[in-house]
C-alpha cells in the first residue's frame, strides 16, 4: 500500500487527504510537482511552542519531503517583529526581540520531529537574517514601488482589519512576506509558497513581486482552515490550545485529545494528521458504533508518535486502556504530581487539587465540575467540592487518582510513603 501511495505525486496526495484550499495554477503546479521542487512555509514565532492548529502546514512540508521535494521551514524572526494581521481582528501584541529569539529556538526543535534536515534534504531558515539588514529607503525604492495600495486594500485580510483598525506597521507585513518569497526564490530556487487560507493575498503578492523583479513564474498553495464537526477551530479546546511541547501539554493529554475526536472527524483527521496510507484510512473510516474506538486509538497513537515518539505514544495508549478497563497501570503513564505527605495531614479541599493538577483551569471551574457531579476521586464520584482529601484516601503505593468528566485523569503521589494509614 505504501508503494502505491509513493507512485502518486505529492499534489495527488494533498488532494485526496484534504490539504488543498486554493492554488494559483493547478495545471502548472501539478506538472511542477512531478519533478523536484523547493517550497516554503513561514511560521512567525509568536509562542514558545507550536500547537495542533499549526499541524496542517507542518504536515504538508513533511509530505513534500517524503515525495522527494526540498521543504524550507522559515522561522519568522523578522516578520514576527511586525506581526501578521491576517486572520486577526485586532493588532498582535508587539513582542521583544529576545522573546522572538527564544520562541524561534523552540520551534526549530519541534520542526525536527517532522522533517529531516540532514544533507540539504530540508532547510531551516530565519528571515531575521535578511529582513533586519534592510535599509528602509532602499526597500521603499526597490520593493515598495511595485505594490499598489488599492490592490492591498482589496485583500480580504486587510479589508477585515480596516473595520477594527489597522496599524501602519501591520500594513507593511505583506511587503515583507513578499520579499521573503522573492529572497528564497532568488537564493534557494524556491518556486512554491504554501500556507493557510488567510495567506492567499500575501502569497499572490510575492508571486507578483517575483514576476516583476525576475520575469519568472512562482506558485502558491493554500490550505483550508480546519474546523471540527461541531464547529470549533481545530486545536482549540475549553482549556485552550493543545501544544506540541510536552511541558505544556503532556503526551498523555495530547493522546487524549486525538482519542476524543468527534466520530464524524476521525477519517478526515487520520488523513490530515497521520502518515497512514489512504487505503488504511479508508478502511478505518468505515468503522461505526463501538468499533470506531479502534480508529480513534490508531489516530491517537499515530499522531502522538510523530510528536512525542513511539514509546510515549504507546505508554499513553496503555494508560488510557488501563483506566477504562480498571486494569493496573504504571504511574509513568498518567500525568502525575508529587506532593508532600504533610500537606494531607489536615487535608486539602478536593477542588484545589483539581485546580493544582490542571484538571481545571481555576478553583471556580473545579467547584462547578464537582457540583455538577463530574469530579471523581479514586473512581468514586465526589459529592462536595470542599471535601477534604487526607492521607487515608491514598492507597498503599501512596497514590490517589483524580478524574474530571469521563476521560481526564491525574495522579497525585506522595513524596514520602512512611507512616501511611493502614
Amino acid at each position: 500500500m505504501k508503494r502505491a501511495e509513493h507512485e502518486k505525486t505529492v499534489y495527488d496526495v494533498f488532494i485526496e487527504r484534504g490539504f488543498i484550499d486554493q492554488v494559483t495554477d493547478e495545471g502548472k503546479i501539478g506538472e511542477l510537482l512531478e519533478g523536484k521542487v523547493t517550497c516554503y512555509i513561514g511560521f512567525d514565532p509568536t509562542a514558545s511552542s507550536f500547537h495542533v492548529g499549526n499541524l496542517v502546514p507542518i504536515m504538508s512540508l513533511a509530505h513534500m519531503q517524503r515525495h522527494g521535494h526540498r521543504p524550507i521551514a522559515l522561522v519568522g524572526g523578522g516578520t514576527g517583529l511586525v506581526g501578521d494581521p491576517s486572520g486577526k481582528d485586532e493588532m498582535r501584541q508587539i513582542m521583544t526581540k529576545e522573546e522572538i529569539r527564544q520562541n524561534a529556538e523552540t520551534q526549530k526543535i519541534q520542526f525536527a520531529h517532522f522533517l529531516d534536515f540532514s544533507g540539504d534534504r530540508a532547510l531551516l531558515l530565519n528571515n531575521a537574517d535578511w529582513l533586519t539588514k534592510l535599509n528602509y529607503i532602499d526597500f521603499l525604492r526597490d520593493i515598495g514601488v511595485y505594490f499598489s495600495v488599492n490592490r492591498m486594500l482589496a485583500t480580504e485580510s486587510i479589508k477585515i482589519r480596516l473595520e477594527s483598525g489597522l496599524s501602519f506597521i501591520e500594513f507593511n507585513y505583506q511587503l515583507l512576506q513578499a520579499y521573503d518569497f522573492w529572497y528564497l526564490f532568488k537564493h534557494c530556487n524556491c518556486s512554491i509558497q504554501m500556507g493557510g487560507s488567510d495567506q492567499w493575498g500575501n502569497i499572490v503578492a510575492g508571486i507578483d513581486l517575483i514576476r516583476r523583479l525576475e520575469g519568472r513564474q512562482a506558485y502558491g498553495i493554500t490550505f483550508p482552515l480546519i474546523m471540527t464537526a461541531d464547529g470549533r477551530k481545530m486545536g482549540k479546546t475549553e482549556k485552550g490550545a493543545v501544544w506540541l511541547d510536552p511541558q505544556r501539554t503532556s503526551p498523555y493529554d495530547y493522546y487524549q485529545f486525538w482519542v476524543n475526536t468527534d466520530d464524524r472527524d476521525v477519517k478526515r483527521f487520520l488523513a490530515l494528521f497521520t502518515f497512514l496510507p489512504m487505503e488504511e484510512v479508508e478502511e478505518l473510516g468505515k468503522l461505526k458504533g463501538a468499533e470506531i474506538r479502534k480508529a480513534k486509538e490508531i489516530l491517537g497513537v499515530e499522531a502522538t508518535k510523530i510528536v512525542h515518539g513511539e514509546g510515549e505514544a504507546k505508554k499513553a495508549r496503555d494508560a488510557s486502556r488501563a483506566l477504562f478497563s480498571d486494569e493496573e497501570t504504571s504511574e509513568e503513564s498518567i500525568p502525575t504530581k508529587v506532593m508532600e505527605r504533610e500537606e494531607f495531614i489536615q487535608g486539602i479541599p478536593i477542588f484545589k487539587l483539581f485546580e493544582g493538577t490542571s484538571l481545571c483551569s481555576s478553583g471556580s471551574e473545579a467547584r462547578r465540575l464537582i457540583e455538577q457531579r463530574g469530579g471523581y476521586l479514586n473512581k468514586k464520584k465526589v459529592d462536595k467540592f470542599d471535601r477534604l482529601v487526607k492521607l487515608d484516601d491514598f492507597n498503599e503505593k501512596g497514590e490517589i487518582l483524580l478524574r474530571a468528566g469521563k476521560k481526564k485523569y491525574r495522579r497525585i503521589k506522595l513524596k514520602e510513603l512512611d507512616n501511611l494509614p493502614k
Side-chain angles (χ1 to χ4, degrees), residues 105-168:
E105 289 302 313
T106 59
Q107 284 190 357
K108 289 179 182 179
I109 295 170
Q110 292 177 353
F111 277 127
H113 296 306
F114 299 85
L115 299 171
D116 176 7
F117 292 99
S118 64
D120 199 43
R121 295 193 66 235
L123 300 179
L124 183 60
L125 305 177
N126 188 331
N127 63 17
D129 293 341
W130 54 85
L131 291 182
T132 57
K133 296 181 175 69
L134 290 173
N135 177 286
Y136 187 58
I137 298 299
D138 290 342
F139 181 75
L140 289 178
R141 288 174 59 85
D142 298 338
I143 304 300
V145 66
Y146 294 114
F147 284 79
S148 161
V149 171
N150 288 344
R151 187 180 301 167
M152 291 175 70
L153 290 173
T155 303
E156 191 63 29
S157 59
I158 297 295
K159 284 167 64 178
I160 293 172
R161 282 297 308 279
L162 284 174
E163 298 176 7
S164 59
L166 180 73
S167 70
F168 180 69

Side-chain angles (χ1 to χ4, degrees), residues 386-399:
D386 57 353
R387 178 209 191 281
L388 293 180
V389 179
K390 297 186 176 182
L391 289 175
D392 55 8
D393 289 305
F394 288 80
N395 63 19
E396 64 276 4
K397 296 179 182 179
E399 299 172 350

Side-chain angles (χ1 to χ4, degrees), residues 21-22 40-42 44 84-87 92 155 157 173-174 177 193-206 220-223:
D21 181 49
Q22 294 187 85
Y40 100 93
I41 300 178
D44 281 351
D84 184 2
S86 303
R92 294 175 187 264
T155 303
S157 59
Y173 190 93
Q174 187 174 107
Q177 185 168 325
Q193 182 184 173
M194 305 191 296
S197 58
D198 61 348
Q199 295 300 309
W200 179 257
N202 293 337
I203 292 173
V204 170
I221 298 173
T222 60
F223 313 120

Side-chain angles (χ1 to χ4, degrees), residues 92-109:
R92 294 175 187 264
Q93 183 178 356
I94 298 294
M95 303 175 68
T96 67
K97 292 181 179 180
E98 180 58 22
E99 286 175 323
I100 289 173
R101 188 195 66 77
Q102 290 177 353
N103 290 348
E105 289 302 313
T106 59
Q107 284 190 357
K108 289 179 182 179
I109 295 170

Side-chain angles (χ1 to χ4, degrees), residues 138-362:
D138 290 342
F139 181 75
L140 289 178
R141 288 174 59 85
D142 298 338
I143 304 300
V145 66
Y146 294 114
F147 284 79
S148 161
V149 171
N150 288 344
R151 187 180 301 167
M152 291 175 70
L153 290 173
T155 303
E156 191 63 29
S157 59
I158 297 295
K159 284 167 64 178
I160 293 172
R161 282 297 308 279
L162 284 174
E163 298 176 7
S164 59
L166 180 73
S167 70
F168 180 69
I169 189 173
E170 293 176 292
F171 193 60
N172 277 266
Y173 190 93
Q174 187 174 107
L175 278 71
L176 297 177
Q177 185 168 325
Y179 185 89
D180 280 344
F181 196 0
W182 168 79
Y183 184 94
L184 295 174
F185 182 93
K186 182 81 171 174
H187 297 279
C188 302
N189 195 30
C190 176
S191 55
I192 298 177
Q193 182 184 173
M194 305 191 296
S197 58
D198 61 348
Q199 295 300 309
W200 179 257
N202 293 337
I203 292 173
V204 170
I207 291 170
D208 186 58
L209 181 63
I210 290 168
R211 181 181 59 80
R212 290 172 178 272
L213 291 177
E214 304 296 328
R216 296 170 63 190
Q217 186 63 46
Y219 303 92
I221 298 173
T222 60
F223 313 120
L225 174 65
I226 306 300
M227 304 294 289
T228 59
D230 59 4
R232 288 182 292 113
K233 192 174 180 180
M234 175 63 187
K236 295 292 185 182
T237 69
E238 294 81 0
K239 308 297 182 221
V242 179
W243 302 97
L244 274 56
D245 182 350
Q247 301 302 314
R248 301 183 71 169
T249 299
S250 72
Y252 175 82
D253 285 335
Y254 192 81
Y255 172 86
Q256 287 296 318
F257 169 78
W258 296 106
V259 170
N260 292 333
T261 294
D262 188 299
D263 292 1
R264 297 166 291 177
D265 290 325
V266 173
K267 178 182 174 181
R268 187 164 57 113
F269 287 3
L270 281 164
L272 287 168
F273 302 114
T274 80
F275 295 116
L276 290 176
M278 277 305 293
E279 293 87 345
E280 188 173 342
V281 171
E282 293 290 347
E283 289 302 312
L284 291 170
K286 295 175 183 176
L287 298 179
K288 303 294 181 183
E291 284 190 327
I292 204 167
R293 177 74 188 179
K294 175 186 174 184
K296 291 184 178 184
E297 189 174 87
I298 291 172
L299 170 62
V301 169
E302 292 297 318
T304 305
K305 181 170 66 175
I306 295 170
V307 176
H308 298 295
E310 189 167 4
E312 289 293 343
K314 289 182 176 179
K315 190 188 296 182
R317 179 199 62 195
D318 293 345
S320 186
R321 284 178 176 176
L323 288 167
F324 287 107
S325 61
D326 293 329
E327 298 173 6
E328 287 295 317
T329 186
S330 72
E331 64 187 62
E332 298 175 356
S333 303
I334 307 167
T336 300
K337 181 174 183 177
V338 178
M339 300 181 67
E340 299 286 347
R341 70 181 301 279
E342 287 76 13
E343 297 181 70
F344 293 93
I345 294 175
Q346 298 298 322
I348 299 177
I350 194 165
F351 78 92
K352 290 187 176 180
L353 295 178
F354 273 75
E355 178 186 8
T357 57
S358 300
L359 276 173
C360 295
S361 60
S362 65

